[in-house]
Amino acid sequence: MPTRRLTRQLIWQLLLYTLLFGAVVTGLKAALVWRNGQQQMDAIPATVSRLYLPLLSQSAWDVDIPAIQLQLRLIAQIPGVQSVVLRTELGQSLRYDNPEQGGQDNSGQYQLPLRSPHSMEAIGSLQLTVSRQHIYSAMRQEVASATLAFLLGFFGLALLLWLLFNRRLVRPLQGMAEIVRNYQPGMQLPPLLPGQQHGQIDNELSELAQAFRSMSNNISHHLQERQRIENELASHRDQLAGLVTARTRELKQLLSFQQLIAGISTRFINIPLHDIDQATQMALGEIGHFMQVERCYLISFADDWLVNTVHEWCASGIQPTTHALRGQSMLQRSWACQQLQEHGLLSLDNLDALPEHAMLERQELEEHGVQSLFMLRIDHMGRPVGLFGCDMVSHPRQWQGKEQQQARLLGETLANTIIRRQQLQALGLAQQQLHAANADLARMAFSDGLTGIANRRHFDEQLGLCFREARKQGKALSVLQIDIDFFKQFNDSYGHLAGDQCLRQVALCIQAQLPAATDLVARVGGEEFAVLLPGYQATAAATLAEAIRQAVWQLAIAHGRSSAGDRVTISIGVASLQGPPQSEHQLMRDADKALYLAKHRGRNRVETATAHAGTPQGN
């Protein structure tokens, strides 16, 4: 966009204001001329009344026509009077017109009464016609002369102002604008006003130059300050970035450590005893990788610092060493044990930190190539239960406080593994004892206390199971009911101790004749026994019953009061599973009936219950 010259703007504005001022002055002069002319016009009637009206009244009273005409001519020659007319009471009328002002408009009329010189009686009237044309002419002359003088002064002033503005204002401003246009922050500022000393202020331009120079200095100072602040901000930004990076690294490490702790803690929840060694080994490996050590181990104590178990993880190329501690007492290493007892930890950045009296510890560490060592005591319920330690072999290491805190947390976490192992071992031992006790209780609950074979309760349960299975799968099932002949007489003759011995011998003899593990003999009464034979049909069951009878006969237990012979004998009833609707109770009743039949036919014999068609076939 093109710029407008300041000189033109200023001159045009100044001239505009001058024109306005000139117009106002000219208008004021014209108004003054108008006012003076109006005052002159207003003074004409008074002048006529004072100077001419007495003489004109006398001439009219004397009817002196020439004198009247002379007076009218003189009145008409007054400036501004256009015509004058005299009218008498007698009807006479005389008029005189000013030839110089004839035909002019904008006239005014005045009526002046003529009175008698000797009395106040009216004898006529004088009519004056006054024109304002001379006022307008005077106004035009005044405006024309004033305008001409103003225009001459106006153009002279404009030329003078243009020269002064161009020399004293425009050229200095143009020079300053050129310098400002080419100015760059930080560069040396040249003189803004040629010929003016630095710091001198004698007008507004020099004040403007001084202000721009101050602004330049402020800009330079601001740029320097800004550069300094930017440098400081860059330094702070770099420091903050470093802090953020370090903090992020710490947070990631803390997160990894929390995940490690959570993973180890979770892994050992409800873990069985046979998996705890492998889980401990995995946990030590994870800890070793996280702490960036070359050997990591967990030692558990039995009692009095006696090493019970050792779990060890080693980095690639590092030989395991702590397994040699198994079965040894840590109390033998007096200095190390004292540090662990007093401080709960043992931290060695290098072997030079070992005192002179720690000869055994130095020897062992040098033997295993350990250069740095960190060991932590693990306590549970106020007593030491183990040790957690880390070794460095390839180079020494300074253990930081943060690493020691992490090791403490890891040691507390690993303490749960030791306690878990001890609890699981104690639980396993208790479970074994419980199983043994349960087995003893089961034997007591399902066996006869005198003979050691099954009792009536166990026999009834097994009979129900075998009967349902035989019915479901269509298999054979047989039972034997056995009774010792004349056993009451045996007790009466030989005593109850001999009777008990006899019962045990008969029970063992019957049990010895049963060929299959599924066959079951039970004492179901004082001298009564029952045998359960799954899979046996009637013939096979009768054959086995006869073998049992003969085996008891061959025991040759003397019985002098028996009617069946000179020794203890037995009678046997055999019953086998028949077709429906037979039940296990019916099966036992059939065996009882067969036993009753054997006793009725003389004892010491085997009788089989009557078989019906549809009996299941077996072996």
Side-chain angles (χ1 to χ4, degrees):
M1 181 178 179
T3 59
R4 299 176 60 189
R5 296 177 63 86
L6 179 62
T7 306
R8 293 179 181 178
Q9 297 180 25
L10 293 176
I11 290 177
W12 279 114
Q13 291 180 6
L14 182 61
L15 292 180
L16 178 61
Y17 296 146
T18 304
L19 285 174
L20 293 175
F21 178 75
V24 171
V25 171
T26 302
L28 291 175
K29 286 185 177 181
L32 182 62
V33 171
W34 171 267
R35 186 175 65 84
N36 292 334
Q38 188 67 35
Q39 289 177 354
Q40 289 178 5
M41 287 183 63
D42 294 338
I44 288 175
T47 300
V48 171
S49 298
R50 185 178 70 255
L51 296 178
Y52 298 100
L53 199 59
L55 293 177
L56 188 58
S57 298
Q58 184 65 43
S59 296
W61 177 263
D62 293 336
V63 190
D64 187 358
I65 298 303
I68 293 173
Q69 292 178 344
L70 179 61
Q71 294 296 325
L72 293 177
R73 186 182 304 113
L74 291 175
I75 293 173
Q77 292 178 355
I78 295 175
V81 178
Q82 185 177 5
S83 63
V84 57
V85 178
L86 175 65
R87 292 183 179 86
T88 64
E89 294 294 330
L90 297 177
Q92 295 177 343
S93 176
L94 294 177
R95 179 185 180 91
Y96 185 83
D97 294 324
N98 190 346
E100 297 179 358
Q101 298 183 3
Q104 295 181 356
D105 297 328
N106 299 322
S107 300
Q109 292 182 353
Y110 297 94
Q111 296 287 338
L112 299 177
L114 289 177
R115 301 184 182 280
S116 172
H118 305 288
S119 62
M120 296 303 295
E121 181 182 0
I123 59 174
S125 65
L126 183 66
Q127 180 180 347
L128 298 176
T129 301
V130 181
S131 174
R132 296 184 178 87
Q133 191 63 36
H134 72 286
I135 299 177
Y136 296 148
S137 298
M139 288 178 61
R140 284 194 295 268
Q141 292 177 1
E142 184 67 24
V143 170
S145 61
T147 301
L148 180 61
F150 175 75
L151 289 177
L152 291 176
F154 176 79
F155 286 111
L157 178 63
L159 179 61
L160 181 60
L161 288 176
W162 184 84
L163 293 176
L164 289 176
F165 280 173
N166 192 53
R167 179 174 178 272
R168 299 297 302 274
L169 181 63
V170 175
R171 290 180 182 176
L173 288 177
Q174 288 177 343
M176 292 175 63
E178 184 66 22
I179 293 174
V180 172
R181 188 181 299 111
N182 299 324
Y183 174 75
Q184 296 292 335
M187 65 180 293
Q188 185 67 29
L189 188 66
L192 295 176
L193 295 176
Q196 187 178 17
Q197 296 181 359
H198 177 68
Q200 180 182 359
I201 300 177
D202 53 4
N203 53 33
E204 287 78 2
L205 288 178
S206 60
E207 186 176 359
L208 178 62
Q210 184 65 26
F212 183 78
R213 188 174 298 277
S214 299
M215 183 184 69
S216 173
N217 295 332
N218 292 334
I219 291 175
S220 300
H221 177 71
H222 173 72
L223 291 177
Q224 294 176 358
E225 185 68 17
R226 178 180 177 180
Q227 185 65 32
R228 183 186 65 81
I229 294 175
E230 288 179 352
N231 294 335
E232 292 181 356
L233 287 177
S235 176
H236 291 325
R237 183 176 62 251
D238 295 338
Q239 294 178 1
L240 182 61
L243 292 175
V244 170
T245 302
R247 185 58 177 170
T248 303
R249 184 170 57 252
E250 292 178 358
L251 290 176
K252 288 182 178 179
Q253 187 178 16
L254 178 60
L255 178 60
S256 300
F257 180 73
Q258 291 176 345
Q259 292 175 347
L260 175 63
I261 293 292
I264 294 175
S265 300
T266 305
R267 185 178 302 151
F268 287 94
I269 296 176
N270 299 327
I271 187 172
L273 182 61
H274 58 82
D275 291 338
I276 198 168
D277 290 333
Q278 182 180 2
T280 304
Q281 196 69 24
M282 291 177 59
L284 289 176
E286 294 173 356
I287 294 172
H289 287 295
F290 176 80
M291 298 191 68
Q292 298 180 354
V293 296
E294 295 173 329
R295 185 183 291 125
C296 186
Y297 47 87
L298 178 65
I299 300 173
S300 65
F301 295 154
D303 291 315
D304 198 17
W305 294 73
L306 181 64
V307 177
N308 183 19
T309 61
V310 176
H311 294 86
E312 182 178 11
W313 170 86
C314 297
S316 178
I318 304 300
Q319 297 297 324
T321 59
T322 54
H323 61 277
L325 297 175
R326 187 179 291 110
Q328 298 184 15
S329 175
M330 292 297 297
L331 297 176
Q332 299 174 359
R333 299 154 183 83
S334 58
W335 179 80
C337 189
Q338 180 182 2
Q339 296 295 317
L340 292 171
Q341 288 176 337
E342 293 180 356
H343 307 291
L345 61 88
L346 173 60
S347 178
L348 288 176
D349 296 338
N350 53 71
L351 298 186
D352 295 337
L354 285 171
E356 295 181 357
H357 60 274
M359 297 300 298
L360 178 59
E361 289 83 350
R362 180 184 295 274
Q363 180 181 357
E364 289 184 345
L365 294 178
E366 290 178 349
E367 179 181 352
H368 298 313
V370 177
Q371 298 195 36
S372 294
L373 168 69
F374 181 82
M375 189 176 294
L376 179 71
R377 187 188 72 208
I378 300 176
D379 295 337
H380 178 68
M381 297 182 67
R383 66 180 184 88
V385 296
L387 296 175
F388 167 69
C390 301
D391 293 347
M392 294 299 296
V393 177
S394 61
H395 59 83
R397 175 172 176 174
Q398 185 176 4
W399 305 100
Q400 303 295 330
K402 180 179 66 176
E403 295 174 338
Q404 295 181 6
Q405 294 177 358
Q406 292 176 348
R408 288 182 180 276
L409 293 176
L410 290 170
E412 294 176 358
T413 304
L414 291 175
N416 296 328
T417 65
I418 297 176
I419 303 306
R420 179 68 176 171
R421 169 186 287 276
Q422 294 177 353
Q423 291 175 347
L424 289 177
Q425 289 176 346
L427 179 61
L429 179 60
Q431 287 177 344
Q432 292 177 359
Q433 295 174 351
L434 180 61
H435 289 326
N438 288 336
D440 293 339
L441 290 175
R443 285 192 298 269
M444 293 174 62
F446 297 110
S447 63
D448 180 60
L450 177 63
T451 61
I453 62 176
N455 57 15
R456 180 61 180 265
R457 176 184 177 186
H458 186 49
F459 181 83
D460 290 342
E461 291 180 357
Q462 294 300 315
L463 175 62
L465 294 175
C466 293
F467 182 83
R468 287 190 293 273
E469 183 179 1
R471 279 300 187 189
K472 183 177 180 180
Q473 299 181 5
K475 293 183 179 180
L477 177 63
S478 297
V479 294
L480 306 181
Q481 282 281 40
I482 304 173
D483 185 75
I484 300 177
D485 298 328
F486 303 108
F487 185 71
K488 182 177 181 303
Q489 288 79 359
F490 184 87
N491 275 336
D492 294 341
S493 298
Y494 300 101
H496 288 285
L497 292 177
D500 292 343
Q501 181 63 26
C502 175
L503 289 173
R504 284 191 288 268
Q505 288 179 304
V506 172
L508 294 176
C509 180
I510 297 172
Q511 190 174 29
Q513 301 303 312
L514 301 180
T518 56
D519 300 340
L520 177 66
V521 59
R523 182 185 176 196
V524 295
E527 67 278 8
E528 296 177 359
F529 299 90
V531 178
L532 181 61
L533 301 174
Y536 281 76
Q537 61 181 353
T539 304
T543 302
L544 180 59
E546 181 60 27
I548 293 173
R549 187 193 66 79
Q550 292 180 4
V552 173
W553 172 266
Q554 292 175 1
L555 289 176
I557 302 173
H559 189 353
R561 296 185 59 183
S562 174
S563 300
D566 59 351
R567 63 188 69 185
V568 174
T569 60
I570 59 175
S571 298
I572 303 175
V574 181
S576 298
L577 185 62
Q578 305 294 325
Q582 192 176 16
S583 65
E584 65 264 30
H585 302 292
Q586 182 62 43
L587 185 63
M588 291 304 297
R589 284 194 292 269
D590 291 344
D592 285 335
K593 292 179 180 179
L595 176 59
Y596 178 76
L597 182 61
K599 290 183 177 181
H600 182 69
R601 292 181 177 179
R603 293 184 170 86
N604 191 22
R605 56 188 297 118
V606 177
E607 292 292 339
T608 302
T610 303
H612 303 282
T615 302
Q617 300 297 318
N619 55 357

